Amino acid sequence: MSWNRTFIESLKEWDGNTSEKSISINDVAVYLGLTIGGQDPLENIDRGLAFLEERINYLVEKESIQEQFLVESLIEFTTKYLAKFNGDRGRCELALSEWEKIIAVNFSRENKMLLVNAKFKEMAKKHRDFYKTLSEEDKTKTIGQLYKETKAELDN
């Protein structure tokens, strides 16, 4: 499972475990999505989790934001957001407590290592696949040299 998927599943788990809360999962998800540059909150209010997941995927895949960094930032931001949300103090504290328990399990040191290792294996495969596409001459060049040559070809 990816960092993003684990985060989204954690939000779903939090929603399922905290029926007595004064903020909805869609409210949290849309707020997080807007915080990381998402647009059109009114169009996305009923599909908050999908909106958030799409936004995270966009930032990781198209903008090259490191997934681990982004998700860990969102976890921290969500925790702080829930901590300062004062709708009904008793229910808010229960919601925050439940969130912290879920995060402690889903993003434990061991589970983080599994996520890091999965990402490492994925990147290693991409590097191997890229290496296979290179000519024998290109295999002796540095990434910087390949980049300069490719850029020069594209500029012409």
Side-chain angles (χ1 to χ4, degrees), residues 77-86 89 92 96 100:
F77 195 85
T78 303
T79 303
K80 287 179 181 177
Y81 180 67
L82 291 174
K84 71 180 183 178
F85 193 82
N86 286 320
R89 197 66 182 151
C92 183
L96 175 61
E100 289 173 334

Side-chain angles (χ1 to χ4, degrees), residues 13-137:
E13 185 177 346
W14 169 79
D15 188 52
N17 290 355
T18 52
S19 59
E20 291 293 319
K21 58 187 173 293
S22 52
I23 185 168
S24 77
I25 190 169
N26 277 331
D27 292 338
V28 172
V30 168
Y31 182 71
L32 292 173
L34 292 173
T35 302
I36 57 174
Q39 304 296 317
D40 302 319
L42 295 178
E43 288 180 21
N44 294 300
I45 195 68
D46 292 328
R47 53 180 296 278
L49 279 177
F51 168 67
L52 177 60
E53 186 169 20
E54 290 164 9
R55 185 64 188 159
I56 294 169
N57 285 335
Y58 173 82
L59 291 172
V60 170
E61 294 167 9
K62 303 291 187 205
E63 299 295 333
S64 301
I65 303 292
Q66 186 191 35
E67 186 177 20
Q68 178 181 354
F69 171 78
L70 183 56
V71 169
E72 286 182 332
S73 298
L74 287 169
I75 290 168
E76 181 68 21
F77 195 85
T78 303
T79 303
K80 287 179 181 177
Y81 180 67
L82 291 174
K84 71 180 183 178
F85 193 82
N86 286 320
D88 178 341
R89 197 66 182 151
R91 285 188 282 178
C92 183
E93 288 177 12
L94 288 173
L96 175 61
S97 176
E98 187 61 33
W99 172 250
E100 289 173 334
K101 285 185 222 171
I102 290 166
I103 292 306
V105 171
N106 294 352
F107 289 93
S108 66
R109 186 177 309 252
E110 182 180 348
N111 285 341
K112 282 183 178 182
M113 283 307 301
L114 292 172
L115 291 167
V116 167
N117 288 340
K119 188 67 171 179
F120 179 78
K121 288 177 184 176
E122 176 187 327
M123 294 307 296
K125 183 182 181 325
K126 286 181 181 180
H127 286 287
R128 280 192 308 273
D129 293 346
F130 171 73
Y131 188 76
K132 289 177 186 176
T133 67
L134 297 175
S135 68
E136 289 304 314
E137 179 186 349

